[in-house]
Each structure stands twice: as C-alpha cells, then as structure tokens.
C-alpha cells in the first residue's frame, strides 16, 4: 500500500459514521449487507448513508454490487489487511523487546 492510499483510507475511517459502517461490514463478512440494512442498523438517513458509502468506496475500503434496485456493500478485506500491514510494517523495529517482533500482527484471513 502506498502512503497516499493509506492516507485516503485513514481519512475515510476518521469519521464516526464511516467507521461504524466499515465495522458493520467487517462483521458481516464476505456476504456484506444491503444498503437498507446498514441504514436500519445504524439509524442513518438514506442520503447521509449514500454520502458515507461513496467515501468508503472511493477510499477502496468497501466494494458494492448491484442486486436489482438494491446495492449490497461488503468490506474489502484485502485493503483492510494492506492498511494494517502498512501501519505495522516497522512494528517495534529497533526494539530489544521480543513481545512485539515486526510482522507479529496477524491479518484477518477473511
């Protein structure tokens, strides 16, 4: 992951509603959730939800799939794992403490 991609992802997640949406989609797993289900679960108006979903899609953190007149959203686990790897790339580098060796952070195997 490039620095600009990480910045875009972190900026997108830096809003409470977008973070809640992303966490909900991570919890849903590969099946994802329909936009209406997300709105209902988070008590977010449709127009507001659409704005936040668009920001998460642009950041590459979620994907969408049309299903007739509805849209299903799912977390992009590859992007999530790439962001975690980017953030932990040099984890504890230079530290003599063996409880945090570089690369010790486990990625989601979703």
């Amino acid at each position: 992951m490039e620095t600009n991609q990480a910045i875009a992802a972190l900026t997108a997640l830096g809003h409470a509603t977008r973070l809640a949406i992303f966490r909900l989609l991570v919890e849903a797993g590969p099946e994802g959730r329909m936009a209406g289900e997300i709105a209902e679960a988070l008590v977010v108006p449709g127009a507001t939800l659409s704005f936040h979903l668009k920001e998460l899609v642009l950041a590459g953190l979620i994907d969408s799939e049309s299903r007739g007149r509805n849209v299903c959203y799912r977390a992009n686990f590859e992007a999530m794992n790439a962001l975690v790897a980017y953030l932990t790339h040099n984890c504890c580098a230079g530290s003599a403490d063996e409880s945090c060796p570089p690369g010790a952070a486990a990625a989601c195997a979703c």
Side-chain angles (χ1 to χ4, degrees), residues 3-93:
T3 299
N4 288 340
Q5 291 171 305
I7 291 169
L10 292 169
T11 299
L13 294 174
H15 188 281
T17 301
R18 288 192 290 271
L19 181 59
I21 293 167
F22 186 71
R23 292 186 69 196
L24 185 71
L25 293 175
V26 168
E27 182 181 306
E31 289 80 36
R33 293 188 84 167
M34 302 302 280
E37 294 172 351
I38 298 168
E40 187 177 311
L42 299 178
V43 191
V44 177
T48 302
L49 179 66
S50 293
F51 170 78
H52 291 302
L53 289 168
K54 179 187 71 142
E55 293 298 313
L56 290 166
V57 168
L58 289 174
L61 292 170
I62 66 172
D63 299 311
S64 64
E65 172 189 348
S66 293
R67 292 187 183 169
R69 295 176 48 193
N70 299 308
V71 180
C72 180
Y73 291 90
R74 60 182 55 85
N76 181 336
F77 291 103
E78 185 178 319
M80 180 185 75
N81 289 334
L83 179 60
V84 170
Y86 177 86
L87 293 172
T88 59
H89 177 71
N90 291 318
C91 178
C92 304

